Amino acid sequence: MQKFRLISSFSLLSLILFSIVPQFSFADEKSSEKEKDDDYYQMMKLFADTYEQIERNYVKDIDRRILVEAAIRGMVEELDQYSNYISPKDLSRFNQVVEQEFGGIGIQVHIDENNGRRLTVMTPLPGTPAYKAGIRAGDVIDTIEGKSTKGFTLPEAIKTLKGRAGESVSISVIHKGSEEAIPLTVTRELIHVATVLGDTYKSDDSWDYMLDKKEKIGYIRLTHFSRHSAEELQAAIEELKKQGMKALILDLRFNPGGLLSQATEISDMFIKSGKIVSTEGRNSRNRKWEATSEGTYDGFPMAILVNRYSASASEIVSACLQDHKRAVIVGERTWGKGSVQNVIELEEGDSALKLTTASYHRPSGKNIHRFPGAKDSDVWGVTPDDKYRLRLTDEELEAFGEYRRNRDILDHNAKLDTEFKDKQLDLALDYIKSALNEKTKPEAKQEAKKPEKKPAEKDATPAKKAAALPQPAKAPLVIQTT
C-alpha cells in the first residue's frame, strides 16, 4: 500500500511537470527563461513532496480529493475575493444561481424563529406547483417524505424539496391559523425564478409595474442579471408601454450583479449609440461593447435606484446610463466591483474554476473597482447624481428590507404597510415628476418608439460562461427558494 502511494505521488509530480517539459525542449537559451523554468520545477516539486509526505505519514488516512481540493482553494484564496473553486457538490447550486432555474415546487421558505423554528413558507411563486396545490404564505411545512421537519436546517429542507422535474415529493402543511396537517403530493417542475419584479401583485397574481397610474410612471425591480433578465425586462417595458408609460424607475438596489452579457444587452436597450463598457485582461483580448440604435427605448425620463449593495453588472448599467446622461442615478454609492469572472470547466464539467480574468471600465473611463485599502475620497463605484444622493442608515436599511419582503408576499388578504416611506424611491419620483413637468425639452413630448428585440450579446470569452457575481452582503433573514 505504501509503495502504491509512493508511486502515485511520483506520478502526480510527473503529471504536474508534463506541461513544463516542452518549455525545456523549446525554451529560449536566455538565462532569464531558464531561471523561470527552474523556478516552475522547484515549486511543483515542493507541492508534490508535500502531498506525498501528508499522504504517507499523516497520523490518519485522509482522502486524496480532500487534499487536492484544499490545495486548489488555498491557491485561489491568494488571488481575490471573487475567484473561487467550485467543487462537484457545489456546482449544481452555483448553476442554479446563474440560470435562476431548478427542479422544485416553487416556494420561498425560511426558519421562523418566532414559531418554534418551524420551516415556514414565505411565499409561493405564481404559477408553480406549490401555488397550484394551494400552499400559502405563512404555512408551516410539517413533514417532507414522512419525516418531521422539526430540527431541519434550511439547507437540509431545500435539498429534500428540490429534485428532478417530473418527480413527486410528499409533504404535509399546516395552514396559518389551523393545527391540522394536510397531506399533499406535489410534482416538481422546472422553476424559473423571475428577476424582474414590480412593486405589488395585481389581482391576477402577476406583477404590477405601474407605480403611479395617474402620472404613468413605471417601476421595475431587477434582482439579478441572469440568463433571461433582458427578455423579462423587455416584456415588462412593453406591458408598461401599452398602459401609456411616460417615465421609468429602474430599481437596482441590493442587485449583486450577474452575467456580463445581460448587463450589456440591458444597457443597449436605453441608449442609441456609444460605448457601453470595455474590458481589459492580462491574457484575454480586450473587448468593447457599443450600443446600436435598433430597439432603443427613449423619449421618456428615467431614474435608476442604487445602494451600497448594488454591484458589478448593476454598476455597468448605472454607470453607462449615467455617462450617456440617459438616466439620473438616485440613492447611495455602489459597492465597487469592476472585475469580470469567467467560469472555466474542470474535470470535463464536474467542477469549475471561477477566475477573475479581466477588469471592466465605464464609458467615461472612470474607475469602478474598489481596491483593498481604498478610501472614501478615492474614485470607485457609481456615485449618484448631485441632489439625488441619499444614504440610508443601517436601521433604515433593515426597516426597508422588512417592508419590501412583506410587499413581495403573494397574499391578497394581507394588509400592506402604507405608513413606511421609501425615501430613496420618493427622491427618484421627485426627479421624474420634475422632468415630466419640464416644457422646454421637445423630446420629452415624443412617444417612446416601439423597439425591435435586440440580438443577445455574446459573453466576453467565447465558449466560457460569464460568471454570476457574488452577493456583497448577507441579509439578516435567510430565505431560500425551492
Side-chain angles (χ1 to χ4, degrees):
M1 183 67 175
Q2 192 177 56
K3 181 179 178 181
F4 172 78
R5 288 178 174 172
L6 187 59
I7 292 173
S8 175
S9 298
F10 286 151
S11 298
L12 174 67
L13 177 58
S14 300
L15 189 62
I16 292 172
L17 295 178
F18 180 80
S19 62
I20 299 174
V21 172
Q23 297 180 35
F24 283 108
S25 301
F26 302 99
D28 195 294
E29 294 297 325
K30 294 181 180 179
S31 59
S32 60
E33 289 294 328
K34 187 176 185 304
E35 289 175 2
K36 187 177 180 180
D37 290 339
D38 288 343
D39 186 57
Y40 284 156
Y41 176 83
Q42 293 300 326
M43 292 299 100
M44 294 302 101
K45 184 176 183 300
L46 173 62
F47 174 78
D49 289 346
T50 304
Y51 175 89
E52 178 188 348
Q53 288 299 322
I54 293 173
E55 189 183 36
R56 288 179 60 193
N57 299 321
Y58 184 64
V59 65
K60 295 188 297 183
D61 282 336
I62 185 166
D63 188 272
R64 294 175 180 174
R65 185 170 194 92
I66 291 176
L67 287 177
V68 173
E69 288 190 351
I72 296 172
R73 289 192 179 96
M75 285 190 290
V76 174
E77 285 174 5
E78 291 296 316
L79 304 178
D80 62 80
Q81 68 187 97
Y82 303 112
S83 297
N84 65 283
Y85 167 70
I86 307 165
S87 68
K89 68 177 182 179
D90 296 327
L91 187 60
S92 175
R93 170 63 180 164
F94 174 81
N95 287 333
Q96 289 171 13
V97 172
V98 174
E99 303 292 344
Q100 290 290 291
E101 289 182 343
F102 54 86
I105 62 174
I107 51 174
Q108 290 183 348
V109 294
H110 69 114
I111 302 296
D112 191 347
E113 300 287 348
N114 299 319
N115 188 24
R117 291 188 54 79
R118 301 303 303 274
L119 182 65
T120 305
V121 177
M122 193 75 179
T123 184
L125 303 182
T128 62
Y131 174 89
K132 296 172 185 175
I135 297 176
R136 303 191 290 263
D139 287 356
V140 170
I141 299 180
D142 188 50
T143 63
I144 304 175
E145 298 293 0
K147 185 177 180 180
S148 173
T149 60
K150 290 181 179 179
F152 262 36
T153 64
L154 199 54
E156 288 173 336
I158 295 298
K159 184 178 180 180
T160 309
L161 287 170
K162 284 182 177 178
R164 292 183 179 180
E167 294 181 348
S168 298
V169 58
S170 297
I171 63 175
S172 63
V173 299
I174 301 175
H175 292 311
K176 193 174 182 179
S178 174
E179 296 182 357
E180 179 186 2
I182 301 174
L184 295 172
T185 299
V186 185
T187 302
R188 299 181 181 97
E189 293 180 3
L190 184 63
I191 304 299
H192 171 70
V193 181
T195 59
V196 170
L197 315 176
D199 180 48
T200 57
Y201 286 105
K202 294 189 289 189
S203 59
D204 63 357
D205 296 340
S206 63
W207 282 107
D208 188 353
Y209 301 115
M210 190 64 79
L211 184 66
D212 188 324
K213 292 175 173 54
K214 180 180 178 182
E215 300 287 344
K216 300 297 182 181
I217 301 172
Y219 171 79
I220 296 175
R221 285 184 294 148
L222 184 59
T223 62
H224 295 79
F225 288 78
S226 69
R227 192 69 62 190
H228 306 290
S229 294
E231 180 183 340
E232 292 177 36
L233 180 60
Q234 187 173 38
I237 294 175
E238 285 299 313
E239 182 179 327
L240 283 168
K241 279 171 57 59
K242 290 177 182 178
Q243 300 176 49
M245 178 189 70
K246 295 180 180 179
L248 176 65
I249 297 173
L250 180 62
D251 194 342
L252 299 180
R253 290 177 294 181
F254 298 101
N255 186 320
L259 296 176
L260 175 62
S261 60
Q262 294 297 296
T264 57
E265 189 173 346
I266 288 172
S267 298
D268 197 7
M269 288 182 183
F270 299 105
I271 60 173
K272 289 183 175 181
S273 62
K275 184 165 71 173
I276 295 172
V277 69
S278 60
T279 60
E280 297 179 7
R282 180 174 67 91
N283 199 29
S284 59
R285 67 188 182 96
N286 296 344
R287 291 287 305 274
K288 182 173 70 172
W289 284 261
E290 297 279 347
T292 56
S293 60
E294 294 82 9
T296 302
Y297 291 106
D298 60 359
F300 56 86
M302 186 173 174
I304 297 179
L305 283 166
V306 295
N307 67 4
R308 51 188 176 272
Y309 299 123
S310 305
S312 197
S314 295
E315 293 171 298
I316 290 176
V317 173
S318 54
C320 174
L321 270 60
Q322 184 181 52
D323 286 351
H324 287 279
K325 302 187 184 305
R326 175 62 184 90
V328 164
I329 309 303
V330 182
E332 53 193 79
R333 194 182 202 177
T334 58
W335 178 260
K337 181 183 180 298
S339 60
V340 179
Q341 286 71 45
N342 276 347
V343 179
I344 303 166
E345 290 186 350
L346 303 175
E347 301 180 285
E348 297 183 348
D350 288 339
S351 61
L353 178 66
K354 183 157 73 74
L355 185 67
T356 298
T357 57
S359 60
Y360 65 76
H361 305 274
R362 58 190 294 173
S364 66
K366 290 182 179 179
N367 175 60
I368 283 182
H369 197 70
R370 177 173 54 167
F371 293 96
K375 301 175 183 178
D376 287 343
S377 57
D378 295 335
V379 177
W380 54 264
V382 178
T383 300
D385 290 270
D386 292 338
K387 299 189 295 184
Y388 297 102
R389 300 172 188 175
L390 178 59
R391 181 179 174 86
L392 301 183
T393 65
D394 291 341
E395 291 75 19
E396 289 174 323
L397 207 60
E398 186 175 348
F400 170 71
E402 181 66 22
Y403 165 80
R404 189 63 265 171
R405 282 192 292 270
N406 288 334
R407 294 180 78 81
D408 288 346
I409 294 173
L410 182 56
D411 184 357
H412 295 297
N413 295 320
K415 186 177 180 180
L416 295 178
D417 183 357
T418 57
E419 300 298 322
F420 181 86
K421 296 297 181 183
D422 185 346
K423 295 191 293 185
Q424 292 174 330
L425 177 57
D426 287 343
L427 190 58
L429 283 168
D430 287 344
Y431 161 72
I432 291 294
K433 289 178 179 179
S434 67
L436 287 173
N437 291 331
E438 194 171 317
K439 305 291 187 180
T440 57
K441 294 183 179 180
E443 63 269 20
K445 298 179 181 179
Q446 295 178 359
E447 183 181 353
K449 296 180 180 179
K450 185 174 181 179
E452 300 174 4
K453 187 174 179 180
K454 294 191 175 186
E457 180 66 67
K458 293 184 179 179
D459 293 335
T461 303
K464 303 291 182 185
K465 282 196 294 187
L469 307 177
Q471 173 72 44
K474 295 180 180 178
L477 176 62
V478 180
I479 303 170
Q480 290 196 15
T481 307
T482 181

